[in-house]
Amino acid sequence: MSDEKSPPHRPVPAERTEQTFHRTVIDGRSVAYQATAGVLHLKGSREEPQAGLFFVAYHVDAEPDAPERPITFCFNGGPGSASVWLHLGAFGPRRVEMPDPELPPPPPYQLVDNAEGLLDLTDLVFIDPVGTGFSRGGEAGGDGAWQSVKADVDAVAEFVWRYLQRTGRWNAPRFIAGESYGSTRAAALALVLQEKGLMINGLMLVSPAITFQPLCFDPGNDLPYQAFLPSYAATAWYHDRLPHKPADLHDFLAEVRRFAEDVYGPALMRGARITDAEAARVAEALHRYTGLPVADLLAADLRITDARFTKAVLREPKQTVGRLDSRFRGPDTSPHSHTSERDPSYDGPLGAYAGLINLYVRRTLGFDPPEPYVVFSTEANEKWRWYEKPEELTGYIEVADRLRRAMIANPHLKVFVANGYYDLATPFYGTEHAVDHLGLDRSLRGGLQLAWYPAGHMMYLRALPAGPAGGPLGLVQNGRLRLLISPDY
């Protein structure tokens, strides 16, 4: 099941683990590993169980006399998402096999060896936050007690500490991988752990949300219109909606970035002072970059939200494009609405991932509780507490400052940022803006690398050409990500 509303008060699930042994093939080499699926308790000041976090860990025995293997803690975002996407899509030893970018056929679906996984380089621990997967809160407040920005980070920090305590991995090189809101968690988590003395070697921020201002189409906030424009342009380019399609996407997007910064942004800043002639010139340029009609752009005051664009760009064939991945397209199920009703890029992979995580955890890993595995909790997402106290309502959520402080406190910290060109959830130009405004000293900027992929929010869905190195991942196959974990970095 993909979504489950749970009672607010119930006992913490029992703390237990199941261990199994397997092999996978990564980059043509057979890797033997141990899998551990289980629940680890979070405890209060009296050492009483307060919540149980479900996790799946993979461990490979190191060669004799070899340095201790790195360990990477992984999670997705939402908030309200389990770690199934990074687990069975990107980093784990097994992955979901499915077409891209289109709806998969009906069941049965297939799990195959993940030829571009990371287990040959690092042990892996996939964590499901409270309210997702099999992770549950206890009687004192239920799941909701853990579903806020601060409580969530504190919970995962306690999990990491208790996991290291249980396994004795205190001296292992430590990495954190978070996707989407998981990157928000990861940046804050790195600082929290380092302040506890647990230094972090590297962060992998996949489709990150470092600061929310470029993502929120609020009155008076013009930054998102600039931040999303290059992603709109990439989408229109992909679907052949441009009046004149440039041959090279990268050169085209460089031009759109310059326009967004040098022309579009200043025009939006003028607000009501913009002249009719200037508005017309900007609308003509936006038409060249998005394919949207000039009249519609002028009627919208040059401001098109993501929800309107996903519907408008393919209005003529009466289709909508995906928000998570705008390469996906589906029928327009609400033709009289100004915004899309469904996201075909979420509908596409959901069934395969939800079905296979239940089958895999229960049958292969031997962890089979009676309750459903919650892939995504709408309840957690809708009730998430972004601010703990009314006096904290002072602006947009951001972890850029915490990321900057983590890198200052630990100048050896390496940060890898993965962006998808067709991501209309966390647009790549918005991430570039956030990174450019971290306020890092020049001496630390070399520790931060960005990479871009011709795919969407979950860029690891991207199909690569068949062959010995073929597989689904633009993300992991990129050598810079593997290099992040290398001691020679």
Side-chain angles (χ1 to χ4, degrees), residues 2 40 57 91 175 205 221 258 270 364 410:
S2 61
L40 188 64
F91 300 144
F175 296 84
L205 307 181
N221 180 27
R258 289 193 296 271
R270 290 187 180 90
T364 304
N410 177 10

Side-chain angles (χ1 to χ4, degrees), residues 70-382:
I71 185 169
T72 303
F73 297 93
C74 312
F75 36 73
N76 280 84
S81 177
S83 62
V84 57
W85 308 102
L86 288 180
H87 186 179
L88 297 187
F91 300 144
R94 304 278 286 170
R95 67 168 177 85
V96 176
E97 185 176 54
M98 61 175 292
D100 168 62
E102 59 190 60
L103 293 175
Y109 305 113
Q110 299 294 324
L111 277 176
V112 298
D113 283 349
N114 185 3
E116 290 83 30
L118 293 181
L119 191 54
D120 60 329
L121 298 177
T122 174
D123 291 345
L124 299 164
V125 184
F126 295 93
I127 306 168
D128 289 338
V130 173
T132 73
F134 298 128
S135 299
R136 303 291 183 264
E139 297 182 0
D143 293 352
W146 305 90
Q147 292 170 346
S148 71
V149 175
K150 183 178 186 303
D152 171 74
V153 171
D154 289 345
V156 177
E158 182 180 347
F159 174 92
V160 170
W161 190 91
R162 290 190 178 276
Y163 185 87
L164 296 175
Q165 180 188 45
R166 289 287 182 89
T167 59
R169 302 292 302 278
W170 295 109
N171 201 36
R174 290 180 283 266
F175 296 84
I176 301 171
E179 179 182 317
S180 193
Y181 181 78
S183 69
T184 313
R185 178 188 296 125
L189 178 65
L191 182 61
V192 169
L193 291 176
Q194 290 184 172
E195 288 177 343
K196 294 178 183 293
L198 296 176
M199 307 308 287
I200 304 300
N201 294 64
L203 290 175
M204 307 174 202
L205 307 181
V206 181
S207 304
I210 300 171
T211 178
F212 279 53
Q213 185 179 358
L215 312 179
C216 299
F217 291 93
D218 295 329
N221 180 27
D222 283 333
L223 184 57
Y225 301 102
Q226 292 177 263
F228 277 74
L229 180 61
S231 297
Y232 292 166
T235 303
W237 182 91
Y238 181 87
H239 291 288
D240 295 320
R241 308 307 292 178
L242 299 174
H244 304 285
K245 182 177 180 179
D248 186 86
L249 175 63
H250 300 88
D251 291 345
F252 174 54
L253 292 180
E255 177 184 334
V256 178
R257 285 182 179 97
R258 289 193 296 271
F259 170 80
E261 186 172 335
D262 298 339
V263 180
Y264 189 37
L268 296 176
M269 282 288 290
R270 290 187 180 90
R273 294 185 293 106
I274 192 171
T275 65
D276 291 344
E278 184 179 9
R281 288 194 297 272
V282 173
E284 286 287 349
L286 291 174
H287 169 66
R288 292 197 306 273
Y289 294 142
T290 67
L292 301 185
V294 170
D296 290 357
L297 291 161
L298 289 171
D301 199 23
L302 306 177
R303 294 163 173 84
I304 301 294
T305 66
D306 55 343
R308 294 195 69 165
F309 178 81
T310 56
K311 187 184 180 83
V313 69
L314 293 181
R315 177 179 291 136
E316 287 304 320
K318 295 182 178 179
Q319 293 185 316
T320 62
V321 301
R323 174 177 174 268
L324 294 173
D325 190 331
S326 63
R327 296 172 305 151
F328 284 76
R329 55 200 295 174
D332 185 354
T333 56
S334 55
H336 302 295
S337 171
H338 290 297
T339 58
S340 301
E341 185 179 54
R342 296 291 303 176
D343 182 353
S345 60
Y346 180 72
D347 294 339
L350 175 60
Y353 277 79
L356 288 174
I357 188 64
N358 273 284
L359 179 68
Y360 175 66
V361 169
R362 298 174 193 275
R363 296 281 184 87
T364 304
L365 302 185
F367 195 93
D368 189 12
E371 64 266 24
Y373 184 97
V374 179
V375 171
F376 186 83
S377 171
T378 56
E379 184 179 21
N381 184 268
E382 293 169 359

